[in-house]
Amino acid sequence: LHAVRLAVRQRNEAGGIDGRYLIEFVALNDFDEPEEALLQAAKMDVDDGVLAVVGGWSPATAEAAAPEYERRGLALLAPEVDFRQDLPLDPSSSVPGPGFEAAFIAVSGGAKPGPAALWAYSAANQLLDAFETAAQAEGTPSRTAIQAVLGQ
């Protein structure tokens, strides 16, 4: 969550989406339970302002919720690995740039970023870029436009 929060904060500080829209970060907890992930997916659809989702932090929760997000027109970016496992940090993976680790530590209350944080930061920025592209193409980002930009 800290990495997504950081990406959103940085984008908003840089002027938001298309210089007109600020992004609000909404977090819901599925407690790593597939049934709860399905319920949380339905809750995300209550607000028309929710345009896409980053999450499903385990394969089981992502697989359970993905059809519900698709049915509701919400793009979903979910990791393909199980971050509950103790994964080593791949030295060849690209670190998001200078200042990322310090900014992450500040947002997280002192925790250093691991593989899940690097993935989440990258996914959040991919989603924010899709918002930007959709806003430039349509004037206002929409669920449909974001799905199209992401190829979903």
Side-chain angles (χ1 to χ4, degrees), residues 11 17-18 20-21 51-52 126-150:
R11 186 66 59 109
I17 302 300
D18 199 30
R20 299 180 295 156
Y21 302 102
L51 302 178
Q126 180 184 359
L127 197 56
L128 293 167
D129 290 345
F131 285 16
E132 185 82 29
T133 301
Q136 290 171 353
E138 294 192 350
T140 303
S142 68
R143 290 179 180 186
T144 304
I146 291 165
Q147 284 183 308
V149 170
L150 294 172

Side-chain angles (χ1 to χ4, degrees), residues 4 6 44-45 66 71 81 117 122 149:
V4 175
L6 176 60
M44 284 295 204
D45 190 37
R71 186 177 78 73
V81 298
S122 174
V149 170

Side-chain angles (χ1 to χ4, degrees), residues 30 53-58 61-62 76-79 119:
D30 63 21
V53 177
V54 173
W57 296 104
S58 71
T61 58
L76 170 65
L77 295 181
W119 178 87

Side-chain angles (χ1 to χ4, degrees), residues 7-74:
V8 168
R9 178 185 296 168
Q10 289 173 336
R11 186 66 59 109
N12 284 341
E13 288 173 354
I17 302 300
D18 199 30
R20 299 180 295 156
Y21 302 102
L22 296 180
I23 297 297
E24 183 177 345
F25 172 67
V26 177
L28 299 177
N29 191 347
D30 63 21
F31 303 100
D32 198 28
E33 298 173 2
E35 300 80 20
E36 186 65 25
L38 196 56
L39 293 172
Q40 297 304 333
K43 287 182 182 178
M44 284 295 204
D45 190 37
V46 170
D47 183 347
D48 290 340
V50 174
L51 302 178
V53 177
V54 173
W57 296 104
S58 71
T61 58
E63 288 172 15
E68 188 67 14
Y69 286 123
E70 184 176 350
R71 186 177 78 73
R72 294 172 181 274
L74 287 162

